[in-house]
């Protein structure tokens, strides 16, 4: 790793693999942020009342005048015969499109029930696409719990977009940044790439479904998120080459991530240093204010989003935190190779979950801060452990130099709060 | 297949979770795919519970489907018993597990656990959350309830309070309020269940003289069983509203044979005076639409009409099990009940009726926002803000006080409403602005009502805009109906005022 003082790292470290009660979200939850990112898309889950209930429990605290997702709830009659189910789906989609004529792209999102009864949503999407063409494009992906965990829903959604992307003519060189980012973060990266002379730069997903970026032999991609295994695979199949890099969290991660693109574009070191120096300095200054609070504190990660390893790397190296256990729902060795190399040697890694056993380990470790889902957070707080709920890390702008301080702040705040409350 | 933008109830296994989580000493082993643990958040976040729900999920994944998911279930059940040592165990399947047909009940039996194991058959593709809760509570009561014990000579009469669950709308405070009412009648509380009860407590249900059924949706089946099997009578009246509370007091006093005249003689709620005071005169005839579970909707309609002087223009429920009761109540208001769990049908009904206030669930708040109508929440489903820290019952005399404040709050205050009727071009308190005591930016313009065949003349259209915002939708609708009935092609100024005269009769 150029420019980074990597120790022995965790590249070859053994990983504890467990199975049992897993306290995680299914991929349907990705809809909660994807519907805001792709503004002219609609997400129709084909599933059970449980799926509908999950979505509204997660998003229902916002009061929607016009929600951009819904569920086609399978009932007994659909379970009786398959052809019926397809007619029913057509009827539901027609009713939906009549109600929302502004929709440009409709995702049919598969769920556990639709996967188990093997309802062929990809054929349904093709059929409906033909019917509603050219006004509405209909695609499908699976967000089922049996196949996807939380952020893997975004991976499945973006993977469904890859075949829709236009082909880049010839071998024109472009940079594709993959993974939903906050708009403000996208704009910051655009300015940095422009200053480096790296471009043209495109983003997947785009803000509008109809404006998908082109891809081809000249495409170099930077993954902005660690959970994009399938999307990256399909993009590589279309000629794109992944630029290996750690993820753009913290001053160090962002620098290395930008450097990977600068290298590919042949930007010389002096130019690179001059462009990134101001942002880097601001990031370091912002982090140092919070690092006082975090240094020496121990942290335990329950699995949630696959962001755990990059976050642990940032908190250990830039904030001085002590890692106890870093759990992840799924560990993609190749995409995380650069991250693993930077983790302190001897870090305990776990993949998958048996929640009761993991809770036993957490209680035994008594970490200063526990990163976990909302099903565990309040119960652990009541036991006296300080927690940081993990889902917020997916909903908050945390990537890039300007957000590095905010990212540290997300972990410092629960500790500050615990110290402050006197009742 | 049903298009659900929002759903009023969760699946039936969430109802079972509400029972298990409400109780002590019960553990629920749920055969379910990875991800169904989202339901834990309902309890830890929405209701802010400080303990994990007593539920173990098998969390099967796609790769397990090729293998032995039944063994996975057995392992989870064995582990859960060893770890949590419950007094009774519930076993069942979620919607996806129902499709793979592993028979959790049969499998759990083979484990030979030393505690009662109650298998739950909850058909996920037919039934919903409240049914699941009622069925689970009924099964537990059947499995645990002991024989009826006669009251000792000279002992105070005793009542069970049945129905409060986890994730129930104001159940926590309703129990406190009803316990207080019973105490003032000299009736002791025997067991509150499922909330706070253990299987051992359920064994004591037979020691009561009466079952007070607070929520028929969750306790109706269990109370009917206790009446049938053990001869314990159950109350029918739910004490929400001043009138209903008085009727409830008379009913429960009659069932156990105590004198209620002292309590009934007291002016125990502030609602009657607040509602009679002249500040409330402007509430007269406000058109309200009521929707919720059957119990809360029926109670709300009675309060709206008899205690606040509103006009109930719509009444409906998503609780099909109690549709008959809601239809009867609607008949008393001279309207047809809307019985549906289709959010879009409720939206259509509200858009067509153009009420001035919507009393509904969290879902009706979405509709009311879209249509720019004031709204208050009277029933589940609700979100985190409706599990408040402060004492907020709906039942009893204090519940009536809470209801008065909650329902009147979203309405434009009297003076502001008058001034808006006179001057509508003010830059701050302009037409369509949200009530200023709510401190919001202007509400969105209401979506136009489906246009009738008659066209509006420009002059009539501009006159229509002089009618205050919150009743303009109704005026437009009435005028168009009036024009349609008379076959008028154009709506003139005359038509507008003819219609006004016609409908004001």
């Amino acid at each position: 790793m150029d420019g980074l003082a990597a120790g022995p790292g965790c590249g070859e470290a053994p990983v504890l693999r467990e199975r049992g009660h897993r306290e995680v979200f299914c991929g349907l939850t990705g809809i909660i942020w994807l519907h805001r990112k792709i503004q002219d898309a609609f997400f129709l889950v084909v599933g059970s009342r449980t799926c509908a209930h999950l979505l509204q429990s997660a998003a229902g605290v916002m009061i929607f005048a016009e929600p951009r997702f819904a569920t086609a709830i399978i009932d007994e009659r659909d379970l009786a015969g398959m052809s019926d189910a397809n007619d029913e789906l057509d009827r539901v989609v027609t009713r939906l499109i009549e109600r929302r004529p502004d929709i440009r792209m409709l995702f049919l999102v598969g769920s556990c029930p639709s996967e188990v009864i093997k309802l062929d949503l990809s054929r349904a999407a093709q059929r409906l696409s033909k019917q509603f063409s050219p006004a509405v494009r209909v695609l499908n992906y699976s967000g089922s719990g049996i196949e996807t965990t939380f952020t893997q829903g975004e991976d499945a959604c973006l993977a469904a977009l890859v075949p829709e992307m236009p082909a880049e003519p010839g071998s024109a060189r472009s940079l594709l940044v993959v993974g939903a980012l906050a708009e403000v973060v996208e704009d910051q990266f655009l300015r940095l790439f422009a200053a480096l002379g790296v471009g043209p730069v495109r983003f997947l997903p785009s803000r509008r479904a109809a404006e998908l970026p082109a891809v081809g032999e000249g495409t170099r991609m930077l993954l902005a998120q660690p959970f994009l295994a399938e999307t990256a695979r399909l993009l590589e199949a279309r000629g794109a080459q992944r630029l290996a890099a750690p993820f753009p969290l913290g001053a160090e991660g962002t620098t290395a991530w930008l450097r990977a693109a600068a290298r590919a574009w042949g930007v010389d070191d002096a130019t690179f240093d001059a462009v990134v120096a101001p942002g880097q300095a601001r990031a370091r200054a912002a982090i140092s204010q919070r690092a006082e609070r975090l240094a020496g504190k121990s942290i335990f990660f329950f699995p949630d989003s696959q962001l755990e390893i990059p976050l642990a790397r940032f908190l250990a190296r830039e904030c001085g935190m002590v890692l106890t256990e870093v759990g992840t729902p799924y560990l993609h060795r190749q995409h995380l190779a650069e991250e693993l190399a930077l983790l302190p040697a001897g870090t305990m890694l776990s993949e998958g979950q048996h929640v009761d056993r993991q809770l036993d380990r957490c209680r035994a470790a008594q970490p200063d801060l526990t990163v976990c889902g909302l099903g565990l957070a309040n119960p652990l707080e009541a036991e006296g452990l300080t927690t940081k709920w993990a889902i917020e890390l997916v909903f908050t702008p945390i990537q890039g130099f300007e957000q590095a301080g905010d990212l540290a702040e997300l972990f410092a705040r629960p500790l500050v709060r615990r110290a402050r409350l006197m009742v | 297949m049903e298009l659900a933008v929002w759903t009023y109830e969760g699946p039936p296994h969430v109802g079972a979770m509400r029972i298990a989580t409400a109780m002590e000493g019960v553990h629920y082993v749920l055969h379910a795919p990875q991800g169904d643990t989202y339901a834990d958040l309902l309890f830890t976040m929405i209701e802010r519970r400080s303990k994990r729900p007593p539920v173990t999920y098998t969390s099967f994944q796609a790769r397990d489907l090729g293998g032995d998911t039944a063994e996975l279930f057995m392992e989870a059940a064995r582990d859960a018993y060893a770890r949590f040592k419950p007094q009774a165990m519930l076993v069942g399947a979620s919607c996806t597990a129902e499709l793979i047909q592993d028979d959790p009940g049969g499998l759990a039996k083979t484990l030979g656990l030393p505690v009662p194991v109650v298998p739950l058959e909850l058909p996920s593709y037919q039934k919903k959350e409240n049914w699941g809760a009622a069925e689970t509570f009924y099964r537990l009561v059947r499995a645990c309830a002991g024989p009826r014990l006669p009251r000792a000579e000279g002992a105070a009469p005793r009542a069970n309070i049945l129905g409060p669950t986890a994730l129930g709308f104001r159940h926590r405070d309703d129990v406190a309020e009803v316990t207080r009412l019973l105490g003032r009648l000299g009736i002791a509380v025997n067991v509150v269940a499922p909330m706070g009860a253990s299987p051992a407590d359920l064994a004591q249900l037979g020691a009561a003289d009466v079952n007070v059924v607070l929520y028929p949706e969750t306790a109706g089946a269990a109370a009917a069983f206790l009446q049938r099997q053990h001869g314990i009578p159950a109350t029918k009246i739910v004490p929400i509203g001043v009138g209903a509370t008085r009727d409830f007091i008379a009913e429960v006093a009659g069932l156990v044979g105590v004198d209620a005249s002292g309590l009934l003689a007291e002016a125990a709620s502030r609602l009657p005076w607040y509602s009679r005071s002249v500040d409330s005169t402007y509430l007269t005839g406000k058109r309200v639409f009521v929707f919720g579970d059957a119990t809360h909707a029926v109670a709300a309609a009675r309060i709206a009409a008899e205690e606040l002087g509103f006009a109930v223009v719509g009444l409906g429920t998503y609780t099909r099990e109690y549709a008959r009761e809601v239809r009867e109540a609607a008949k008393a208001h001279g309207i047809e009940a809307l019985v549906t769990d289709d959010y879009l049908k409720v939206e259509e009904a509200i858009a067509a009726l153009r009420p001035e206030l919507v009393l509904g669930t969290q879902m009706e708040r979405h509709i009311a926002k879209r249509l720019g109508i004031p709204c208050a929440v009277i029933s589940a489903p609700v979100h985190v803000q409706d599990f408040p820290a402060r004492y907020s019952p709906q039942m009893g005399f204090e519940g009536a006080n809470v209801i008065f404040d909650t329902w009147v709050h979203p309405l434009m205050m009297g003076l502001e409403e008058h001034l808006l009727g006179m001057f509508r071009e003010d830059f701050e308190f302009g037409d369509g602005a949200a009530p200023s005591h709510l401190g919001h930016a202007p509400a969105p313009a209401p979506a136009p009502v489906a246009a009738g065949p008659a066209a509006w003349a420009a002059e009539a259209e501009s006159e229509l805009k002089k009618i205050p915002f919150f009743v303009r939708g109704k005026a437009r609708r009435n005028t168009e109906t009036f024009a349609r009935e008379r076959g008028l092609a154009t709506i003139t100024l005359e038509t507008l005022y003819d219609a006004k005269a016609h409908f004001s009769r």
Side-chain angles (χ1 to χ4, degrees):
Chain A
M1 288 303 306
D2 326 83
L4 296 179
C10 284
E12 304 299 322
V15 175
L16 173 67
R17 290 198 174 77
E18 283 189 308
R19 73 171 215 182
H21 176 154
R22 290 176 67 132
E23 191 78 24
V24 290
F25 282 128
C26 67
L28 294 181
T29 335
I31 293 170
I32 306 299
W33 66 91
L34 287 167
H35 87 273
R36 289 289 175 93
K37 179 75 194 178
I38 316 174
Q39 291 161 15
D40 50 357
F42 193 98
F43 295 81
L44 180 67
V45 176
V46 182
S48 64
R49 189 166 300 282
T50 308
C51 309
H53 196 235
L54 157 79
L55 279 183
Q56 79 182 34
S57 306
V61 73
M62 298 182 273
I63 309 295
F64 292 86
E66 275 299 349
R68 297 194 283 262
F69 48 82
T71 310
I73 297 181
I74 297 168
D75 58 32
E76 303 173 276
R77 287 165 302 145
D78 304 307
L79 295 175
M82 298 294 295
S83 59
D84 241 7
N86 281 312
D87 293 346
E88 283 289 292
L89 185 59
D90 291 7
R91 184 180 59 76
V92 165
V93 168
T94 307
R95 185 177 177 201
L96 178 68
I97 290 178
E98 280 167 6
R99 184 184 152 84
R100 298 295 306 272
D102 52 324
I103 300 168
R104 290 290 155 264
M105 184 170 277
L106 175 68
F107 288 100
L108 300 179
V109 188
S111 64
C112 301
S114 74
E115 301 289 333
V116 167
I117 63 170
K118 306 221 182 302
L119 186 59
D120 192 341
L121 290 183
S122 74
R123 270 183 51 197
Q126 282 171 17
R127 182 177 69 240
L128 288 161
S129 230
K130 218 171 280 172
Q131 187 181 334
F132 292 102
S133 167
V136 187
R137 188 90 184 86
V138 185
L139 300 178
N140 99 286
Y141 72 88
S142 171
S144 74
I146 57 177
E147 289 163 314
T148 59
T149 307
F150 194 31
T151 47
Q152 281 178 318
E154 176 174 328
D155 186 28
C157 175
L158 301 191
L161 288 173
V162 173
E164 303 296 306
M165 292 164 71
E168 186 88 81
S171 60
R173 197 161 60 155
S174 63
L175 179 67
L176 184 64
V177 177
V178 192
L181 290 171
E183 283 151 12
V184 61
V185 176
E186 272 188 17
D187 295 343
Q188 289 164 11
F189 284 150
L190 273 177
R191 285 196 293 272
L192 283 167
F193 287 128
L196 289 168
V198 171
V201 182
R202 287 104 180 228
F203 293 90
L204 182 71
S206 43
R207 294 179 201 182
R208 304 227 149 248
E211 295 155 13
L212 286 174
V215 62
E217 295 294 329
T219 304
R220 299 291 173 270
M221 61 174 166
L222 269 180
L223 301 185
Q225 302 281 13
F227 44 73
L228 298 171
E230 181 65 7
T231 307
R233 193 183 66 77
L234 293 178
L235 285 167
E236 279 165 355
R238 292 198 56 183
Q241 286 176 29
R242 185 176 71 92
L243 302 175
F247 293 90
L249 300 174
E252 189 181 57
T254 303
T255 305
W257 189 77
L258 291 168
R259 192 189 298 278
R263 281 276 155 81
W265 259 256
V267 179
D268 63 78
D269 285 354
T271 309
F272 181 79
D273 291 343
V275 168
V276 303
Q280 219 176 33
R282 279 197 300 271
R284 289 202 177 117
I287 293 166
S288 71
Q289 290 168 25
R290 280 82 175 194
E292 286 167 30
R293 176 69 64 170
L294 294 172
K297 297 280 196 296
S298 59
I299 187 164
F300 189 108
F301 283 88
F302 280 81
D304 189 57
S305 63
Q306 300 182 47
L307 280 163
E308 295 82 6
I309 288 172
L311 288 169
R313 178 264 301 160
F314 162 72
L315 291 167
R317 292 175 62 98
E318 297 188 53
C319 303
M321 293 192 85
V322 178
L323 307 179
T324 49
E325 175 173 338
V326 182
T328 179
Y330 175 71
L331 178 59
H332 193 293
R333 285 256 169 212
Q334 201 190 353
H335 287 181
L336 283 164
E338 291 72 21
E339 290 286 353
L340 290 169
L342 293 171
L343 274 187
T347 303
M348 158 133 182
L349 299 176
S350 63
E351 183 182 10
Q353 189 175 35
H354 183 297
V355 76
D356 287 312
R357 281 186 218 141
Q358 197 167 28
L359 280 166
D360 290 344
R361 293 198 297 275
C362 180
R363 290 178 184 125
Q366 286 291 308
D368 295 308
L369 190 62
T370 303
V371 183
C372 60
L374 290 171
L376 300 177
N378 275 334
L380 287 177
E381 289 279 350
E383 291 182 24
L385 291 172
T386 305
T387 62
K388 164 75 215 95
W389 52 284
I391 300 115
E392 193 177 18
L393 298 158
V394 178
F395 292 157
T396 311
I398 56 171
Q399 293 85 1
F401 291 132
E402 316 304 342
Q403 283 66 239
D406 303 343
L407 177 57
E409 171 69 19
L410 287 177
F411 293 90
R413 195 178 297 151
L415 295 168
V416 172
R417 184 166 185 77
R418 173 146 300 229
R420 201 181 269 223
L421 296 180
M422 294 297 160
V423 290
Chain B
M1 230 171 253
E2 171 206 343
L3 175 62
V5 177
W6 301 113
T7 162
Y8 286 98
E9 290 181 72
H13 73 260
V14 169
M17 283 184 72
R18 287 175 52 191
I19 302 299
T21 306
M23 292 182 67
E24 304 288 335
V26 174
H27 199 87
Y28 184 17
V29 181
L30 182 60
H31 205 13
Q34 163 179 268
D36 279 4
T37 51
Y38 82 87
D40 287 0
L41 275 68
L42 304 171
F43 302 96
T44 59
M45 294 307 295
I46 295 180
E47 205 181 1
R48 275 185 236 256
R49 283 186 175 252
S50 60
K51 281 199 289 194
R52 293 175 61 214
V55 183
T56 294
Y57 301 76
T58 55
S59 299
F60 59 84
Q61 292 177 268
R63 60 166 185 259
D64 300 316
L65 292 177
D68 195 350
T69 49
E71 181 48 42
L72 207 64
F73 176 83
M74 304 268 277
E75 198 184 312
R78 254 192 309 261
D79 275 9
Y81 179 75
R83 184 176 279 270
F84 299 103
K85 294 280 180 344
Q87 295 174 28
M89 203 141 98
L90 298 168
V91 294
S94 80
C95 52
T96 304
E98 191 183 329
L99 297 172
I100 58 177
Q101 300 181 330
D102 278 333
D103 183 22
L107 291 170
K109 223 174 255 168
T110 66
L111 292 174
L113 298 176
V115 293
V117 174
V118 181
L120 299 175
E121 296 287 340
L122 307 175
S124 307
Y125 297 89
Q126 297 167 28
K127 301 290 189 181
K128 298 195 286 277
E129 180 178 331
N130 282 334
W131 187 90
E135 171 72 9
T136 304
F137 187 46
Y138 162 67
R139 293 280 160 198
L140 273 168
V141 166
R142 243 188 103 107
C144 302
R148 183 156 196 201
L149 305 169
R151 192 197 320 171
E153 198 63 43
R158 300 170 75 83
N160 296 321
I161 295 182
L162 302 184
T165 64
L167 216 66
F169 177 63
R170 309 294 167 88
H171 287 194
R172 178 195 68 194
D173 298 339
D174 283 349
V175 168
E177 190 65 18
V178 170
T179 301
R180 188 177 305 171
L181 280 181
L182 292 172
R184 295 180 63 192
L185 287 169
I187 302 172
V189 172
N190 181 48
V191 173
V192 178
M195 185 186 275
S198 66
D201 293 329
L202 295 187
Q204 301 301 315
L205 283 171
D209 301 274
V210 65
N211 283 323
V212 170
V213 179
L214 293 192
Y215 310 101
E217 281 88 346
T218 49
F225 167 79
L226 290 169
Q227 183 146 23
R228 216 167 44 232
Q229 203 71 14
H230 300 294
I232 307 175
T235 57
K236 301 272 179 291
I237 298 164
V238 177
I240 303 177
V242 175
T245 298
R246 295 172 61 85
D247 294 349
F248 166 81
I249 290 168
E251 182 190 32
V252 75
L255 285 172
V256 300
V258 295
D259 177 22
S261 54
L263 183 53
L264 288 174
E266 284 180 42
S269 170
R270 283 184 281 272
L271 180 142
W273 168 242
Y274 270 53
S275 196
R276 277 174 202 280
S277 71
V278 295
D279 195 49
S280 298
T281 311
Y282 85 110
L283 300 176
T284 313
K286 284 263 182 217
R287 308 169 70 256
V288 299
F289 182 93
V290 182
F291 197 85
D293 66 30
T295 298
H296 288 88
V298 169
R302 177 173 174 188
I303 298 167
E306 296 178 6
E307 300 177 18
L308 292 172
F310 292 154
V312 178
V313 295
L315 173 60
T317 185
Y318 57 82
T319 319
R320 288 187 187 281
E321 291 86 349
Y322 291 87
R324 195 159 46 104
E325 286 78 351
V326 180
R327 289 206 174 92
E328 268 165 32
K331 220 176 284 167
H333 297 282
I335 51 178
E336 184 88 29
L338 174 67
V339 179
T340 183
D341 54 6
D342 183 346
Y343 166 85
L344 298 176
K345 289 220 174 84
V346 179
E347 187 183 66
E348 275 166 28
I350 295 176
L353 287 164
R354 289 269 149 200
E356 291 161 80
L357 176 66
V358 174
L359 300 173
T361 72
Q362 172 78 3
M363 306 305 135
E364 278 63 52
R365 296 177 69 199
H366 298 279
I367 298 170
K369 176 180 178 186
R370 181 169 137 99
L371 300 173
I373 303 173
C375 179
V377 171
I378 60 157
S379 159
V382 293
H383 233 290
V384 62
Q385 66 272 41
D386 279 300
F387 287 95
R390 66 182 182 278
Y391 186 59
S392 313
Q394 298 287 291
M395 291 186 179
F397 295 125
E398 182 58 26
N401 296 341
V402 171
I403 285 172
F404 182 90
D405 290 345
T406 311
W407 295 10
V408 173
H409 177 77
L411 294 169
M412 185 82 71
M413 306 268 239
L415 173 65
E416 189 162 340
E417 184 176 312
H418 281 297
L419 288 174
L420 196 66
M422 293 174 70
F423 316 107
R424 56 196 54 263
E425 285 166 20
D426 187 278
F427 63 88
E428 186 182 355
F429 304 99
D431 189 25
S436 66
H437 72 281
L438 299 181
H440 291 162
V449 183
W456 283 77
E459 198 185 19
E461 185 89 51
S462 69
E463 194 76 1
L464 181 70
K465 293 210 176 91
K466 295 175 192 163
I467 294 169
F469 177 73
F470 34 85
V471 287
R472 192 183 304 151
K474 180 188 162 211
R476 177 188 279 277
R477 196 173 60 108
N478 282 349
T479 310
E480 285 172 357
T481 308
F482 182 83
R484 191 167 49 243
E485 281 168 1
R486 282 154 191 77
L488 303 176
T490 314
I491 294 171
T492 62
L493 205 53
E494 294 297 310
T495 323
L496 180 68
Y497 283 114
D498 285 346
K500 183 172 190 279
H502 175 78
F503 284 103
S504 64
R505 275 182 290 137

